[in-house]
Amino acid sequence: MGWSPDSGRAARARRWRDASAACVLLAALGGGPAQAQTIDALRPVRDGFLAPQDSPLRRTVVSGLSDAAPTVGVDTPISASSPPRQTGGPLPGRPAASGAADTGYDSLNRTRKKPRYYPAQPRPKPPPGPGTRPSGELTGQLRPTLPPSASANKPPIPAAMAGTVPGQPPRKRLKIDDDPFGAVGDYAGPFLVKGAVELSAGYDSNPARLGNPRGMPAWMIAPEFLAVSNWERHALVADLRGSFTGYGSTLPARLDGGVNPAPTTLDRPDFTGHLDGRLDVSRDTSVGAQLRLRAATDNPGSPNVQAGLARYPVATTLGTTIGIDQRFNRLQISAGATADRTSYQQSKLTDGSATSNDDRNFNQYGGIGRVSYEVMPGLKPFAEIQGDSRVHDQRFDRAGYQRDSAGGTAKAGSSFEFTRLLTGELSIGYATRSYVDPRLNRLQGFLTSASLVWSATPLTTARFLSDTQLAETTVAGASGVLVRTYTVQVDHDFRRWLTGIGKFSFGTLDYQGYGRSDRTYSAEGNLVYKMTRSLWVKGSLRYDKLDSNITGAGSSGTVVMLGVRLQN
């Protein structure tokens, strides 16, 4: 079969058709725009049926985030998680520096906003400046690991206490015990009860406080009881403290050729107790009451002590106070009524007879009012006024004077609390008392009252106490006794278990109308060794001195005691 032009043209046409079919097949299998349009048309996203460059909508961050995978041939949109390019401009409608934080860098150089903190919120520490040594640097070298004591073998503890139980909420850290050797107490129902007793013995160089000292061995027992309620509302507190001081010998009935001005038996008790209750009527109103008891004797060396006594007569004062407190926001008003009864035992003389002390017995009725205002947390000024009247069982005393009287006090001050370093209350005022007998002058004078606690360091605490009283007396011609007392005490912990206490007291006794003026000085040092929470060992040394403008009335004495304290 021969070649012809028609057959050549047919062969060329077939080759062109085969080449065109191959191109179409390659285009279908290759990655071209047609494939991208097909994939975009099937994506279930915003503007998925159109190519991003052909979308009539404005490009936003949302549309950029919706593109899960980049599309071939299309520019990748800006993502919020990827850093912006330095050459790119801000998005439409977005002002410059709109993404800057309130306290971060601002390209417009606007004033930064300072963070605000709550009053009790801790402030972050400023960054250390250049040249600051690292916190872990010790003796010029960094400590690469924890000390051996931190990783040493320790006794196992329960998983619940260690906080390793899966799903257990974090344990609240316990408060550090401020007094690791203090009494723990026991719970009796809703009351926390604590008890203690001190037993000590020693020597007193002048227990009777005579001009010519006569020393005796001494011993003392001092019990304590404290019960505090644990109610959500209302409160009840019982505080009872007492002591009994005994001596190993007695004094003779006659001393230095005359009657002994001190009792032959110098043993004497001392007790102070009060029961306080508070009833919360509402959030701003409460009613309070107190029942108190005081049992003691006249101080050795006092002119109120009769000559020729066999022992000290005990004086008992039983009283009560009922009052109400009302708060009006920061203003607080308190008012109360008081009633007290003071009675003395009969005086037993060395010859076996007894004399009555009914002329010293009296009833006292009074009232008290107080107004305070909290200027700021920790500062609360107040003003207080108090009045009372005393009515004796007998109209005339043993010297023929009428001792019934009426008096009162007025004072102003403030209670404060400055960062827990200095807390307490301080006030000054004036006191006066008028007597029924015209021969007795008015008893009056300035008064000071203070109770301050200064926490100088975590190991050292200083206390200052001041008090003024208008006391009764049996001295003929004297209206009464204006007693002022000032005490400074410093406690220092050499160790948690070893405490030193230094105490100094100064007092004045002014017998107005009689012309007698006494001054008392007392310096005391104590050392307490706390063996356990329940057992303490205590040693004390005290020096007392009495100076008087009356000849032969002065005295001095030194007391040394060593004992133990048992508490729970």
Side-chain angles (χ1 to χ4, degrees):
M1 182 173 170
W3 179 86
S4 65
D6 293 335
S7 61
R9 286 193 296 271
R12 286 194 299 271
R14 285 194 301 270
R15 285 195 296 271
W16 281 108
R17 285 196 301 270
D18 295 340
S20 299
C23 290
V24 172
L25 181 60
L26 291 176
L29 297 177
Q35 182 184 10
Q37 292 177 1
T38 304
I39 296 177
D40 289 342
L42 299 178
R43 290 188 305 159
V45 296
R46 188 173 184 266
D47 62 31
F49 293 95
L50 296 174
Q53 69 273 16
D54 297 333
S55 175
L57 302 178
R58 178 175 61 88
R59 172 174 292 185
T60 62
V61 178
V62 177
S63 63
L65 292 175
S66 62
D67 295 335
T71 304
V72 180
V74 181
D75 295 338
T76 303
I78 299 176
S79 174
S81 59
S82 61
R85 291 177 298 177
Q86 299 294 336
T87 57
L91 297 177
R94 302 288 294 275
S98 60
D102 293 341
T103 59
Y105 172 75
D106 189 352
S107 60
L108 299 182
N109 198 24
R110 292 176 293 195
T111 304
R112 296 180 179 180
K113 296 181 180 180
K114 297 182 179 180
R116 298 180 179 180
Y117 302 96
Y118 294 102
Q121 184 177 2
R123 271 64 169 174
K125 295 183 179 180
T132 304
R133 303 175 64 181
S135 59
E137 186 172 353
L138 297 175
T139 64
Q141 296 181 357
L142 292 177
R143 187 171 61 188
T145 59
L146 295 176
S149 59
S151 58
N153 185 23
K154 298 180 180 179
I157 60 176
M161 183 178 297
T164 58
V165 177
Q168 178 187 7
R171 290 178 54 87
K172 183 179 179 180
R173 298 187 62 181
L174 298 178
K175 180 182 177 181
I176 299 177
D177 193 352
D178 298 331
D179 189 5
F181 289 93
V184 179
D186 296 315
Y187 276 97
F191 291 91
L192 175 61
V193 180
K194 296 183 179 182
V197 60
E198 290 189 12
L199 305 173
S200 57
Y203 184 81
D204 192 338
S205 64
N206 191 7
R209 298 302 183 261
L210 299 174
N212 296 324
R214 286 178 176 265
M216 294 183 184
W219 58 272
M220 184 182 67
I221 177 172
E224 299 178 9
F225 176 82
L226 177 66
V228 182
S229 63
N230 193 25
W231 300 324
E232 183 177 356
R233 295 183 58 193
H234 319 304
L236 185 62
V237 178
D239 189 357
L240 310 177
R241 303 172 186 271
S243 66
F244 184 85
T245 305
Y247 297 91
S249 60
T250 60
L251 293 176
R254 299 187 63 85
L255 191 65
D256 297 334
V259 179
N260 189 353
T264 57
T265 301
L266 301 176
D267 301 346
R268 62 183 186 274
D270 191 292
F271 176 82
T272 300
H274 58 90
L275 180 65
D276 301 323
R278 189 192 74 243
L279 180 63
D280 297 328
V281 180
S282 64
R283 184 174 66 99
D284 297 325
T285 305
S286 61
V287 177
Q290 182 188 75
L291 181 64
R292 53 186 173 270
L293 175 63
R294 169 73 173 154
T297 63
D298 293 322
N299 293 325
S302 172
N304 295 328
V305 179
Q306 298 174 250
L309 288 176
R311 62 174 56 91
Y312 289 106
V314 179
T316 304
T317 301
L318 179 63
T320 182
T321 299
I322 300 177
I324 183 172
D325 290 343
Q326 179 64 46
R327 290 171 291 276
F328 303 94
N329 199 358
R330 296 186 177 183
L331 179 66
Q332 182 176 357
I333 300 177
S334 305
T338 63
D340 296 271
R341 167 67 179 177
T342 301
S343 60
Y344 285 79
Q345 289 180 338
Q346 288 187 344
S347 298
K348 295 184 178 180
L349 305 180
T350 55
D351 58 2
S353 61
T355 59
S356 175
N357 288 315
D358 292 343
D359 58 338
R360 303 184 67 180
N361 301 340
F362 65 91
N363 298 324
Q364 177 176 305
Y365 309 96
I368 182 173
R370 178 171 177 147
V371 178
S372 59
Y373 184 80
E374 186 178 9
V375 178
M376 57 182 297
L379 183 61
K380 194 173 184 179
F382 68 88
E384 181 178 307
I385 185 172
Q386 181 177 1
D388 62 76
S389 62
R390 296 175 180 175
V391 180
H392 289 72
D393 292 355
Q394 293 184 0
R395 183 177 179 183
F396 297 93
D397 66 354
R398 63 196 64 183
Y401 289 90
Q402 300 181 49
R403 293 288 178 179
D404 293 349
S405 62
T409 61
K411 61 182 180 180
S414 177
S415 60
F416 43 82
E417 178 180 348
F418 298 133
T419 65
R420 299 300 301 174
L421 295 180
L422 181 62
T423 60
E425 182 176 297
L426 178 66
S427 64
I428 58 174
Y430 193 80
T432 180
R433 178 166 294 279
S434 300
Y435 294 85
V436 174
D437 198 318
R439 296 174 295 175
L440 299 177
N441 298 329
R442 177 179 297 178
L443 180 63
Q444 57 188 355
F446 286 96
L447 61 87
T448 58
S449 178
S451 177
L452 305 178
V453 179
W454 176 37
S455 300
T457 67
L459 301 178
T460 306
T461 302
R463 293 176 174 86
F464 175 73
L465 304 175
S466 176
D467 188 26
T468 304
Q469 294 181 359
L470 301 180
E472 296 285 323
T473 183
T474 59
V475 177
S479 303
V481 188
L482 181 62
V483 184
R484 296 187 179 97
T485 306
Y486 309 93
T487 303
V488 177
Q489 178 177 325
V490 179
D491 300 355
H492 180 74
D493 293 335
F494 300 100
R495 294 290 187 270
R496 282 176 172 259
W497 43 266
L498 186 62
T499 302
I501 303 174
K503 184 177 180 181
F504 177 78
S505 298
F506 171 74
T508 61
L509 295 87
D510 184 11
Y511 295 81
Q512 296 186 2
Y514 180 68
R516 175 168 177 169
S517 178
D518 296 346
R519 285 177 172 81
T520 60
Y521 307 88
S522 178
E524 181 179 355
N526 299 308
L527 189 63
V528 182
Y529 173 42
K530 305 173 182 178
M531 302 182 65
T532 65
R533 283 187 180 269
S534 303
L535 178 60
W536 294 4
V537 178
K538 179 180 178 181
S540 64
L541 174 64
R542 187 179 81 247
Y543 175 75
D544 299 332
K545 184 177 179 59
L546 171 64
D547 286 340
S548 178
N549 59 353
I550 303 298
T551 304
S555 64
S556 63
T558 303
V559 183
V560 180
M561 303 291 284
L562 178 63
V564 297
R565 176 184 175 89
L566 305 176
Q567 62 182 13
N568 181 30

